[in-house]
Amino acid sequence: MNEWFADVAYKFQIAFLEGDRWKLYLSGLGVTLQVAVFAAVLGVAIGTIVALMKLSVRKNGKRSVFSVIAQIYIDIIRGTPSVLQLLIMWFIVMKGSKNGALIAILTFGINSGAYVSEIMRAGILAVDHGQMEAGRSLGLSKGQTMRYIILPQAIKNVLPPIGNEFIVLLKETAIVGYVSLSDLTRTASQVSSRTFEAFMPLIGAAIIYFIIIKILSKLIEKLERRLRKGDHR
Amino acid sequence: MITVRNLHKSFGKVEVLKGIDYYVEKGEKIVIVGPSGSGKSTFLRCLNLLEQPTSGEIWFDGELITDPRTNINKIREHMGMVFQNFNLFNNLTIMGNITLAPVKLKLMSQEEANETALKLLKRVNLTEKADAYPSQLSGGQRQRIAIVRSLAMNPKVMLFDEPTSALDPEMVGEVLDVMKELAESGMTMVVVTHEMGFAREVGSKVLFVDEGIIMEENTPSEFFANPKNPRLKDFLSKIL
């Protein structure tokens, strides 16, 4: 029994303490969060614009050229693996740049934007059409009604799926190792290959992801409750 | 004030309005009745272009609003509309609902708009609801707020699209009272409704719309006492 404890303690020692390795995990987590947060902001911005593009119609009621462009973008992004998108960005589109973090943020932002746009579109369509008619009947333009009336309600509608999308995004950043960015996952794998001991680093990293996401879901829940203050109580 | 010439409206292959001609004078209270599906709501919604007419002309205050070059947003500032389902902005307080349009359209400062809103709220006895959200109000209260929201724009004409049809019976009266008071103040009104009592009491003209045309038009007393059109006779016998 004592031997077993000593073994665990030793493995813990080489996985986290020796050479201050815990600092590596911490900076790895920093990279993960940095990429995820900036990509999420970019994704929501792109997603909202693309959703509005996809919903836009011409005067005669047919799809606008913006709507077609939005659909092509969504199809391409959803139709290809994100690892490939990352590699294409790294080796082809931004060949000259060696800024892995920037490339990762752009890739995941553009990727997430496609999914967010469909979420936003559903949220906008879920707002009763009467809200738009009421805004227009008062003399507000379509854009003004969208901005002051429809979008605020749509965002409240889509908060749960957007939170979900952010959680998916946070975990998906685990592939940034492909562009030699040392995020949490890559750090854990590097440590395990150095110490020839996989259990502690990998399980450790998994636990860190789990805790971060747990905190995140609590925050989203709280925000959701706050935004519902105008609803039935 | 409003002139309608040979108005047609089709939804796909279904022709809902088959040529309506009408003239609304300033200060008139036009009440439109008719069976459901007759086109009366569509007619009303064409007046502020919430429905785009298929053909025909609508003039408002000397402007041809069916002309694509007319800025319809500017026209709508002068035409209030009240809906069957209230359509209050769910994300805004009552105060926000009333002041949004005048402020965003730069007709008033926020302070002026708040002042106007409070005056109007007092008129419908809902001052204490200023900071409430629409979901906290009863149907009758919501509809009174919807009327007030339109009035805050200081419109020249008010359009009512079955304003009491979604209300519980005991709340119909409070909304009709506000509309009556509005009528007495001289507002030009076009009202689609099933409230025959209101038509009789307030209307200066009553129109019977069926199958996409105006089948009969008369003063309220004649309209109800001496209906000429057989379809109107049939309609009145069913509802009175």
Side-chain angles (χ1 to χ4, degrees):
Chain A
M1 199 64 193
N2 263 346
E3 234 169 83
W4 185 81
F5 268 121
D7 186 43
V8 168
Y10 171 70
K11 281 177 178 164
F12 188 84
Q13 156 86 16
I14 58 166
F16 298 110
L17 303 178
E18 204 177 279
D20 275 349
R21 286 203 172 112
W22 57 273
K23 282 185 181 158
L24 293 177
Y25 295 90
L26 218 55
S27 85
L29 177 63
V31 170
T32 295
L33 289 177
Q34 183 199 6
V35 171
V37 168
F38 284 107
V41 171
L42 187 61
V44 168
I46 293 177
T48 307
I49 293 166
V50 172
L52 292 174
M53 283 171 69
K54 191 168 168 184
L55 286 169
S56 66
V57 284
R58 279 186 286 173
K59 268 244 160 85
N60 57 16
K62 298 225 172 78
R63 292 179 73 182
S64 72
V65 86
F66 297 111
S67 170
V68 175
I69 294 170
Q71 188 59 54
I72 292 171
Y73 158 73
I74 293 168
D75 285 345
I76 290 175
I77 296 298
R78 286 201 304 201
T80 52
S82 40
V83 179
L84 262 181
Q85 291 165 12
L86 187 65
L87 292 175
I88 288 170
M89 199 64 130
W90 175 248
F91 285 114
I92 302 170
V93 181
M94 297 188 60
K95 209 170 152 193
S97 166
K98 287 290 156 253
N99 188 341
L102 179 68
I103 287 169
I105 289 168
L106 284 177
T107 307
F108 284 110
I110 292 168
N111 178 285
S112 180
Y115 295 93
V116 171
S117 78
E118 288 295 88
I119 296 172
M120 287 299 291
R121 190 170 66 91
I124 291 168
L125 290 175
V127 176
D128 181 35
H129 189 61
Q131 300 280 310
M132 178 57 90
E133 288 193 338
R136 297 307 306 276
S137 80
L138 287 165
L140 295 168
S141 69
K142 202 172 170 183
Q144 285 172 318
T145 313
M146 191 52 93
R147 179 165 157 209
Y148 299 116
I149 306 301
I150 310 291
L151 277 182
Q153 295 182 52
I155 286 168
K156 197 167 72 176
N157 288 344
V158 300
L159 211 62
I162 290 283
N164 193 47
E165 170 63 24
F166 184 48
I167 287 170
V168 170
L169 176 64
L170 186 87
K171 290 184 295 182
E172 193 144 308
T173 59
I175 59 172
V176 294
Y178 276 93
V179 295
S180 62
L181 214 63
S182 288
D183 72 321
L184 184 56
T185 300
R186 190 164 188 242
T187 303
S189 121
Q190 278 171 334
V191 170
S192 68
S193 61
R194 183 157 316 162
T195 58
F196 303 107
E197 175 44 59
F199 184 86
M200 283 290 173
L202 297 187
I203 298 296
I207 290 172
I208 297 172
Y209 275 110
F210 181 85
I211 292 170
I212 295 290
I213 285 166
K214 193 74 201 162
I215 294 171
L216 203 63
S217 357
K218 283 284 169 213
L219 286 177
I220 295 165
E221 230 172 83
K222 222 173 173 178
L223 184 62
E224 217 181 302
R225 262 205 303 272
R226 242 182 60 191
L227 286 181
R228 293 228 168 270
K229 71 174 191 274
D231 294 356
H232 288 280
R233 275 187 264 194
Chain B
M1 183 168 244
I2 304 176
T3 308
V4 180
R5 282 204 196 118
N6 199 19
L7 178 67
H8 287 258
K9 172 68 186 177
S10 303
F11 292 103
K13 288 203 172 80
V14 187
E15 193 175 26
V16 182
L17 298 180
K18 300 170 185 167
I20 290 193
D21 290 272
Y22 201 70
Y23 178 70
V24 182
E25 253 180 282
K26 191 165 189 282
E28 271 192 314
K29 288 84 177 103
I30 309 298
V31 180
I32 304 171
V33 301
S36 58
S38 59
K40 56 191 192 305
S41 277
T42 306
F43 170 48
L44 190 78
R45 290 161 56 82
C46 279
L47 294 182
N48 67 352
L49 295 202
L50 278 186
E51 299 295 352
Q52 191 68 41
T54 312
S55 68
E57 289 181 353
I58 299 169
W59 294 78
F60 175 70
D61 247 7
E63 278 190 87
L64 178 60
I65 67 172
T66 40
D67 185 336
R69 283 164 300 182
T70 306
N71 181 355
I72 188 62
N73 295 334
K74 266 274 169 264
I75 301 285
R76 284 179 181 145
E77 290 179 9
H78 306 293
M79 298 176 109
M81 185 160 201
V82 175
F83 300 87
Q84 183 174 351
N85 295 318
F86 331 128
N87 293 340
L88 292 184
F89 304 135
N90 296 322
N91 57 320
L92 300 175
T93 61
I94 298 312
M95 207 61 180
N97 265 275
I98 301 171
T99 59
L100 179 78
V103 173
K104 294 301 175 197
L105 295 169
K106 301 200 165 57
L107 304 174
M108 298 178 196
S109 68
Q110 186 68 53
E111 292 72 37
E112 286 170 319
N114 287 348
E115 216 171 286
T116 310
L118 282 174
K119 262 185 221 153
L120 288 165
L121 282 174
K122 204 166 179 188
R123 206 164 131 188
V124 294
N125 287 324
L126 287 171
T127 318
E128 78 281 4
K129 299 291 184 192
D131 297 319
Y133 281 88
S135 61
Q136 297 165 309
L137 269 55
S138 73
Q141 291 173 332
R142 283 185 222 184
Q143 195 59 300
R144 278 145 69 198
I145 297 296
I147 295 172
V148 161
R149 177 175 67 178
S150 288
L151 290 179
M153 293 293 291
N154 214 355
K156 293 178 183 159
V157 57
M158 286 284 285
L159 311 174
F160 291 84
D161 188 4
E162 302 198 27
T164 56
S165 298
L167 294 174
D168 291 337
E170 76 267 25
M171 293 171 181
V172 171
E174 59 188 75
V175 172
L176 290 181
D177 285 345
V178 172
M179 291 171 62
K180 281 175 197 164
E181 197 216 297
L182 190 59
E184 280 159 21
S185 77
M187 178 65 74
T188 312
M189 294 161 75
V190 183
V191 185
V192 170
T193 187
H194 294 294
E195 292 294 327
M196 295 304 148
F198 178 84
R200 212 186 295 244
E201 197 181 327
V202 179
S204 46
K205 286 271 175 58
V206 185
L207 311 187
F208 176 64
V209 172
D210 195 13
E211 295 183 334
I213 54 167
I214 298 175
M215 290 224 172
E216 188 151 340
E217 174 208 339
N218 221 326
T219 58
S221 49
E222 274 297 296
F223 185 90
F224 290 105
N226 283 317
K228 292 172 192 75
N229 190 296
R231 294 195 68 107
L232 173 57
K233 282 181 193 166
D234 183 48
F235 177 71
L236 290 177
S237 72
K238 276 184 201 149
I239 55 164
L240 290 178

